Structure formats: structure tokens, C-alpha cells
Amino acid sequence: MDHQVSLPTSTTTGFIFALRCNHTMIDGAGLSLLLKSLCELACGLHAPSVPPVWDRHLLTVSASEARVTNTHREYEDHVESNALAAGEPLVSRSFFFRAEEISAIRRLLPHDLRNTSFEALSSFLWRCRTIALNPDPNTQMRLTCIINSRSKLRNPPLPLGYYGNVFVIPPAIATARDLMEKPLEFALRLIQETKSSVTEDYVRSVTALMATRGRSMFVLAGNYLISDLRHFDLGEVDFGPWGKPVYGGTAKAGITGFSGVSFYVPFENQKGETGTVVAISLPLRAMERFVAELHGVVNVFKR
């Protein structure tokens, strides 16, 4: 398993197309729609096949009508613990997970426990990251799932061309002790429960919360956010004679002001092997422990 991912080299000419977007305007699914529309225009269409839709009123509610019906621990106040070592320099590395590595991770789980690759990989990284940070055992750790909620909204459904934000960020929460000492199944089931909590009522409740409290900041302390970009076809864009991109995804881990974010990006390495590349940012000594934990576990179960 590579922990530094290199892009394939080629003598073929091409170009780099980079985007920087304001997340208050668009999410991953919307970005994918935008890129597909640009490709269609570049390839000769006079208008996108899926017309863009603004209609932000579909996900707004007045403060007087807002009803918060769920508990939203992602926006809790007064969470003070912080697992990151203050003052240590951050380093970022990329890790490549093929089907072989995912299978090795699943060997840590009960064979009859159904799970997705997202659930298996996320639970494993959450535990490895917690071990690497080595926080106080009573520290509250969070794994925040960034969930595209378009399919949850049915009353009314969103138009196909809606490209604004339609994601929610429910957290799985556990103490560091439980994550480090209990079987991986514990973390995975927490993630499954978190995902299943997202219903249309939950999404509408987030909308109501924003109407009554404003755009609240999510909890940063002890938090690890994961965004799965593998279903958005960012690597499939086609601007015409240049063909598909060598790489289509995020440039690094983290977002502005917060390093604890990883993105799952589909990738094909120089050997032609396909899998998921994950960039992670950690303090230097924590990264060393993370690599040791990651390779130690995966390599043992690949034998």
C-alpha cells in the first residue's frame, strides 16, 4: 500500500484545470453537475443537457415557521477538548487503498456484518487516527460523515439541476478509549447508525436550525470529517480531444482553517490498479504513529 501517491507521467500534452469554490454556493454533487455542463458546452452543445436550477427557497424556512425536530450534536456548543497537539507542524500524506486493502480491513470485522467500503474504511481510519493522536482516553472523538441528502428529499423533491448545498454532517461520537480498545465493529456500527439517522425530517430540521441560529460552525475539537467524492465522477469529465483526466479530485487534505478533513477520491495508480486515494493531515509525530498503525494492521491481515 503506497503512502505517497504519484500521478502517472506522460509525454502527451494536456492542461491542468483547477477550481476553487465557495462552499456556501455549491457542494460536491453540484460541482460535478457544473463540470459536466462545462464539458458539454466545450464539446459543442449550445446549452447543458441538465439546466441549472437556483431555487434556494426550496431549502429555506422562516424563523417563525422553523421547527427543530432532531438533536444536532454536530453544532453543539462548549465542546472544549482538542486532540491535536498544539504547536506541532502538520504534514500531509496520501494513502492508496485497493480492493485488497479493503478486504484486509474487513477481516477485522465479523464476517456476517454487512458494510460498505465507506463504512469499513472510515471506521478503520477513525481508529488509526485516534491511536496516532494519542489523546486522553476520556476525550470525546468524532467522525463526521458528509452525507449528500438529495435522495432524502421527496416532499417536494429537488429539481435534477439543483447544484446548491444539500448535505448534512451528522457525527458519530465515542471516547478515545472505546475507539482504541474495542473491536473495529464498534466504530463501524456507530457510523452505520449515524448514516441511518439522516431522514427527510433530519434534513428539514437542519434547515430549521439554520433559520433560528444562523449558520452555526460545526464542532472542530476531536473531529475528523470524511467526504466521499467517489460517486461524483470528477475524474470522468471530458473536454473533447484531450480525453479524460489523469486525476480528478481534491488537491490536499483539510479545508481552510481546519486540517481534520479527508476526501475519498477514485484513483488509478501507475500499475493500472484502481482504488481510493485518501489524503490525511496530522502533526508530524502523530503521522509517524498513524503510518505504523495503518501498515501494521493491513499488512498482517493481507498475509
Side-chain angles (χ1 to χ4, degrees):
M1 180 177 61
D2 303 325
H3 74 248
Q4 291 287 2
V5 175
S6 300
L7 296 178
T9 57
S10 173
T11 56
T12 305
T13 59
F15 63 94
I16 296 173
F17 180 71
L19 279 173
R20 183 172 184 175
C21 64
N22 187 325
H23 225 321
T24 62
M25 298 290 293
I26 197 168
D27 61 9
L31 178 60
S32 176
L33 176 64
L34 172 64
L35 288 174
K36 290 175 182 177
S37 298
L38 288 176
C39 289
E40 290 177 338
L41 295 175
C43 291
L45 287 186
H46 295 292
S49 59
V50 179
V53 175
W54 182 253
D55 287 355
R56 294 304 196 261
H57 65 278
L58 295 174
L59 286 178
T60 59
V61 63
S62 66
S64 61
E65 298 176 342
R67 298 291 180 270
V68 180
T69 55
N70 287 253
T71 300
H72 297 287
R73 299 198 64 186
E74 58 268 45
Y75 301 113
E76 281 183 319
D77 296 324
H78 311 303
V79 178
E80 297 176 354
S81 61
N82 198 332
L84 287 181
E88 276 199 55
L90 290 172
V91 295
S92 294
R93 293 187 178 179
S94 295
F95 301 85
F96 184 55
F97 296 89
R98 303 164 297 172
E100 185 178 1
E101 280 78 35
I102 300 299
S103 295
I105 292 169
R106 283 181 166 142
R107 291 180 64 182
L108 297 167
L109 299 164
H111 66 87
D112 58 344
L113 177 58
R114 295 173 63 91
N115 58 83
T116 65
S117 63
F118 174 86
E119 294 161 355
L121 182 56
S122 299
S123 60
F124 180 65
L125 292 178
W126 188 21
R127 188 172 74 170
C128 288
R129 187 175 183 273
T130 302
I131 292 171
L133 290 171
N134 193 29
D136 180 279
N138 295 317
T139 300
Q140 188 180 83
M141 307 300 290
R142 294 168 176 247
L143 187 287
T144 295
C145 305
I146 301 180
I147 298 177
N148 178 13
S149 304
R150 282 166 168 76
S151 64
K152 306 293 183 181
L153 298 173
R154 300 186 177 92
N155 188 30
L158 289 177
L160 187 60
Y162 188 90
Y163 60 86
N165 287 307
V166 199
F167 67 88
V168 292
I169 53 172
I173 303 174
T175 65
R177 176 184 288 109
D178 284 344
L179 287 174
M180 294 187 290
E181 295 181 359
K182 290 186 177 182
L184 187 63
E185 176 186 357
F186 169 77
L188 187 140
R189 288 192 182 278
L190 284 179
I191 292 172
Q192 290 180 329
E193 291 168 6
T194 298
K195 289 173 57 183
S196 66
S197 71
V198 177
T199 61
E200 178 160 11
D201 183 63
Y202 185 96
V203 178
R204 300 291 182 188
S205 181
V206 172
T207 302
L209 183 72
M210 297 298 174
T212 56
R213 289 180 50 181
R215 288 180 178 168
S216 303
M217 184 61 182
F218 60 85
V219 175
L220 299 179
N223 203 351
Y224 181 38
L225 278 76
I226 295 179
S227 181
D228 192 349
L229 304 181
R230 294 176 296 178
H231 309 294
F232 293 145
D233 297 330
L234 300 182
E236 299 297 315
V237 295
D238 186 348
F239 285 98
W242 295 278
K244 294 180 181 179
V246 173
Y247 173 80
T250 52
K252 59 183 180 179
I255 56 177
T256 303
F258 182 55
S259 62
V261 183
S262 287
F263 302 91
Y264 291 177
V265 180
F267 187 71
E268 180 177 321
N269 67 11
Q270 292 179 327
K271 299 177 182 178
E273 299 169 319
T274 58
T276 300
V277 65
V278 185
I280 293 175
S281 182
L282 285 169
L284 178 58
R285 287 180 291 180
M287 180 62 78
E288 293 171 352
R289 293 191 292 267
F290 180 86
V291 171
E293 180 69 20
L294 188 77
H295 286 183
V297 172
V298 170
N299 290 339
V300 165
F301 280 89
K302 282 167 61 178
R303 294 172 186 168

